[in-house]
Amino acid sequence: AGTSLPVSGANWPANTVVEVQLTDPDGLDVGGPETVTTDGDGGFTLNYPVPASAAPGTGYTVTATVGEQTATDTTEVTAAA
């Protein structure tokens, strides 16, 4: 919490805007959404800002979306230092 979460992706359409959203274990949005544009190979890297108010714990989900295409992964939010 209060830091950035590195998020990366590959195999997306080239030069396309990807929307990235972090959700808590209850499915509620945490910050964002943030957007990033893929490179010519369809890859991207984003430092997603996690608000200091985010409760530490597991079960958070990161979802990247372009139109109907989505990808998700789970992550943990740790306490602010």
Side-chain angles (χ1 to χ4, degrees), residues 4-31:
S4 294
L5 173 68
V7 178
S8 61
N11 301 315
W12 293 88
N15 306 307
T16 302
V17 175
V18 177
E19 183 178 280
V20 179
Q21 180 65 60
L22 178 66
T23 53
D24 70 14
D26 294 324
L28 301 174
D29 291 347
V30 178

Side-chain angles (χ1 to χ4, degrees), residues 5 13 24 36 46 52 56 62 65:
L5 173 68
D24 70 14
V36 61
L46 170 72
V62 178
T65 305

